[in-house]
Amino acid sequence: MKILKSVFTVSTLLLSYTAMAQTSPGKPLTITIDAKNTAQTIHNIGASGCWFSEGIGKYWPVAKREKMAELLFSKERDAQGNPKGIGLSAWRFNIGGGTAEQGDSSGIKDFRKRVECFLAPDGTYDWNKQAGYQWFLRKAKAYGVENLIAFSNTPPVQFNKNGRGFKTEKDYKANLKPEKYDAYADFLTEVVKHFDQEGLHFSYLSPVNEPQWDWSNKPGQASQEGSPWSNDDIYKVTKAVDASLEGKKLNTQILTTEAAMLTYLYEGKSQSSKQIQNFYTDTSANSFKKLKHVPNFIAGHSYFTDSNDSSIVSVRKKLADTTHKYGIEFWQSEYSMLGDGYKEGSKEKRSQIDCALFLAKIINQDITVGNAAAWQLWNSWEPGSAEFDTRYYLIALKPANTAYTDGDFTVTKNLWAMGNYSLFVRPGMKRVNVDRADNLSPEKITQDVMLAAFTGGKDKLVIVALNYTNEARTINPQFKNLKSVKKYHTYVTSAGANDNLRPSAEQKLTSAISLQPRSVTTIVFN
């Protein structure tokens, strides 16, 4: 009996120790940050107003849309130090193609995704069009959003072969009539010129969007405006826009190519693939290098490259290797959780914090592995649930009527998780490489603690720490060339009702920094 009692006691102790080991935070993760070990400069972090800004900005009560604008654009804090908004530094404005004027005959089934055009078929301009989109554009400017970006999904319908804002035949050829390239360029630059005169300067103009898709459908079944473009077509239209900007003495730069997936930027066999090699090789017939208004970067979308952790890492690593080889930067200019990667193998509905953490994960991977110098979300708002599968938006809309002239909205955790980056990682900051002592593989890091660090000059440092695990964790930062980093604040987003960039009091850097389970924490030093 004594022997049995001893065995029972030892077994009990072992089980207790194992349980403690599983639930304890464990030792801190030591990280080393050298302020001189920098990577890319961040240009902006932003979002788009498609598709629902037109109805909201035009019809919804002013108090509601003012609050929505504040949530996106404000950099202010309330009396308790809570951020009022997420301080976006870029706002994407869609230049419409005229499908709204066509009504049901446009062939686009959802009226909210039809867009007005400033240019009428008779050649006159009406700058009162797109009033709702313009309302939010002006709010972005008023809040001090640093980068306004104009993008087009289709040329004006009167310039297109089929007179529509989408393709009706699946041939992967541009819908724009061959003789209308200069006219399309002139239209785009007239829009830029007009808003310049209104004090609304577009830093960037994007003439093509997701050129790899065929954008074809039967009339009445199309989902939105769109057109395919081959690399030759893209070069032709970009050259025309460049010449038009130069002729009108406008200093807007051209954002291109807005590839539908990141892989199209560096590989593939279609007429619109391998775009880095095609546009940034000096000897290429389509080289952008001699075009004055095309900056030294290329833009792509992170859709459908998030199916699993291995794909997330490998795609972005190949992209970073290719952009480095050709001496250019990469911008991630559209993303939402269109694919099912955000479910991470689950067959259940994903909570809003699960979606928010996945969004934060993609931002982290695009910036730290893909070396994205800018990051932009596709949809700021859309009708849907605020509690589950919030995959497409920051703010969930609940329209009050079928005409969409009023409604309610609910903020999701996506907004605050994105704010962990956008509010604190400002244009001009440089990413700083983070060395971690745990030696985890890049794939394993995507299920652990993910880190991104940024410097804003002498002894100014921001770390965005994403704890993807179900346990509380701690990090122990060690610094080089950051002599006076001694104090910090944290801003936490988690499932907690009040954890929406919840601020901490100022703390001294005397011990490890705590990270809540399943949370995003921005640590602002000094």
Side-chain angles (χ1 to χ4, degrees):
M1 290 295 295
K2 287 183 180 179
I3 295 174
L4 288 173
K5 184 176 181 180
S6 299
V7 170
F8 175 79
T9 302
V10 171
S11 299
T12 303
L13 288 170
L14 285 172
L15 286 170
S16 299
Y17 177 81
T18 301
M20 288 174 64
Q22 289 175 342
T23 57
S24 65
K27 68 178 184 178
L29 168 61
T30 298
I31 61 173
T32 302
I33 296 174
D34 183 346
K36 293 184 177 180
N37 185 12
T38 59
Q40 75 271 31
T41 298
I42 302 299
H43 294 274
N44 59 73
I45 298 176
S48 164
C50 282
W51 293 104
F52 303 90
S53 292
E54 181 66 9
I56 298 168
K58 193 172 183 179
Y59 299 116
W60 283 33
V62 173
K64 292 180 182 179
R65 43 182 147 132
E66 287 281 4
K67 182 61 178 178
M68 296 169 80
E70 179 183 65
L71 286 165
L72 290 183
F73 305 134
S74 178
K75 298 184 277 288
E76 295 182 354
R77 312 294 201 269
D78 66 16
Q80 290 72 45
N82 298 293
K84 293 182 178 181
I86 63 169
L88 296 180
S89 52
W91 183 244
R92 289 171 61 90
F93 174 87
N94 179 214
I95 300 175
T99 53
E101 289 88 343
Q102 292 178 323
D104 289 344
S105 65
S106 69
I108 296 175
K109 56 187 176 181
D110 187 341
F111 76 93
R112 297 168 301 182
K113 297 183 180 181
R114 305 168 192 159
V115 191
E116 293 178 338
C117 186
F118 295 117
L119 179 62
D122 65 5
T124 60
Y125 283 86
D126 183 351
W127 300 113
N128 294 313
K129 295 292 182 74
Q130 296 192 237
Y133 284 110
Q134 287 198 56
W135 191 89
F136 280 103
L137 179 67
R138 294 177 193 281
K139 280 295 167 182
K141 174 66 175 179
Y143 274 100
V145 173
E146 291 90 339
N147 293 271
L148 302 180
I149 300 169
F151 72 98
S152 171
N153 290 319
T154 178
V157 293
Q158 60 267 31
F159 293 168
N160 289 338
K161 296 172 185 175
N162 61 4
R164 298 183 184 273
F166 63 95
K167 291 279 290 187
T168 45
E169 55 183 335
K170 192 172 183 177
D171 60 5
Y172 292 91
K173 294 180 180 179
N175 204 12
L176 181 63
K177 295 175 183 177
E179 71 274 15
K180 290 295 184 179
Y181 277 76
D182 287 340
Y184 178 41
D186 181 69
F187 160 70
L188 292 175
T189 58
E190 278 299 300
V191 173
V192 170
K193 179 181 175 181
H194 165 76
F195 283 105
D196 258 2
Q197 293 169 347
E198 293 281 310
L200 295 163
H201 174 64
F202 285 115
S203 301
Y204 302 96
L205 170 63
S206 173
V208 304
N209 192 275
E210 298 189 346
Q212 292 81 13
W213 301 149
D214 64 271
W215 296 110
S216 65
N217 221 317
K218 295 179 180 178
Q221 296 181 14
S223 60
Q224 65 167 85
E225 296 180 345
S227 174
W229 304 82
S230 69
N231 285 341
D232 289 345
D233 293 333
I234 294 169
Y235 178 76
K236 185 176 179 180
V237 74
T238 303
K239 185 179 179 182
V241 173
D242 184 81
S244 188
L245 287 169
E246 188 67 14
K248 295 176 185 179
K249 295 181 171 55
L250 301 170
N251 62 3
T252 294
Q253 294 184 301
I254 302 171
L255 176 66
T256 192
T257 59
E258 303 244 32
M261 295 195 306
L262 302 183
T263 48
Y264 289 120
L265 293 175
Y266 61 85
E267 67 180 19
K269 297 181 180 179
S270 74
Q271 293 182 338
S272 52
S273 60
K274 287 189 177 179
Q275 294 191 309
I276 294 172
Q277 297 92 324
N278 197 273
F279 296 119
Y280 290 95
T281 300
D282 290 340
T283 56
S284 170
N286 291 337
S287 176
F288 285 154
K289 297 231 173 173
K290 292 183 180 179
L291 302 183
K292 294 181 180 179
H293 292 264
V294 179
N296 207 34
F297 65 75
I298 197 164
H301 302 169
S302 282
Y303 303 126
F304 307 115
T305 56
D306 56 1
S307 58
N308 56 63
D309 293 336
S310 178
S311 174
I312 289 171
V313 173
S314 64
V315 167
R316 286 151 184 81
K317 180 67 168 62
K318 290 175 184 176
L319 175 57
D321 288 345
T322 308
T323 54
H324 176 74
K325 178 179 178 180
Y326 287 85
I328 64 171
E329 290 183 336
F330 155 62
W331 283 28
Q332 196 295 122
S333 56
E334 273 191 31
Y335 178 75
S336 65
M337 297 168 237
L338 290 184
D340 289 336
Y342 78 102
K343 294 182 179 180
E344 298 192 292
S346 173
K347 295 182 180 180
E348 305 296 324
K349 289 183 178 180
R350 301 295 280 168
S351 71
Q352 61 167 315
I353 192 60
D354 289 333
C355 292
L357 293 176
F358 192 82
L359 175 62
K361 171 178 175 174
I362 295 301
I363 298 174
N364 172 279
Q365 293 295 291
D366 281 341
I367 290 175
T368 65
V369 181
N371 287 337
W375 202 94
Q376 295 149 18
L377 186 79
W378 168 231
N379 248 354
S380 296
W381 31 60
E382 187 169 315
S385 168
E387 298 301 324
F388 296 100
D389 290 338
T390 56
R391 57 198 289 190
Y392 302 125
Y393 42 82
L394 304 177
I395 295 173
L397 304 177
K398 187 177 181 181
N401 52 57
T402 56
Y404 206 67
T405 55
D406 196 1
D408 293 313
F409 65 90
T410 305
V411 177
T412 76
K413 291 289 182 178
N414 289 345
L415 179 96
W416 304 114
M418 184 169 174
N420 279 97
Y421 295 91
S422 59
L423 185 59
F424 305 98
V425 183
R426 306 307 302 173
M429 295 182 76
K430 288 183 177 292
R431 185 171 72 84
V432 188
N433 290 306
V434 178
D435 292 327
R436 46 195 297 157
D438 58 6
N439 296 317
L440 288 181
S441 69
E443 291 77 15
K444 288 189 179 296
I445 288 172
T446 62
Q447 293 295 325
D448 197 75
V449 173
M450 288 167 265
L451 300 155
F454 308 87
T455 178
K458 185 178 180 181
D459 293 333
K460 293 181 180 179
L461 183 70
V462 170
I463 297 176
V464 184
L466 170 55
N467 182 7
Y468 219 64
T469 75
N470 292 314
E471 297 182 349
R473 298 288 292 273
T474 55
I475 58 172
N476 179 25
Q478 304 292 312
F479 301 118
K480 294 180 179 178
N481 299 301
L482 288 162
K483 295 180 180 179
S484 65
V485 174
K486 298 177 181 178
K487 298 178 181 179
Y488 67 94
H489 292 82
T490 60
Y491 295 83
V492 176
T493 300
S494 76
N498 297 320
D499 284 358
N500 302 317
L501 292 178
R502 177 177 54 80
S504 73
E506 185 177 79
Q507 302 175 66
K508 291 183 178 180
L509 188 60
T510 57
S511 58
I513 300 172
S514 299
L515 307 176
Q516 291 184 25
R518 302 288 287 167
S519 68
V520 192
T521 301
T522 300
I523 308 160
V524 181
F525 295 90
N526 291 352

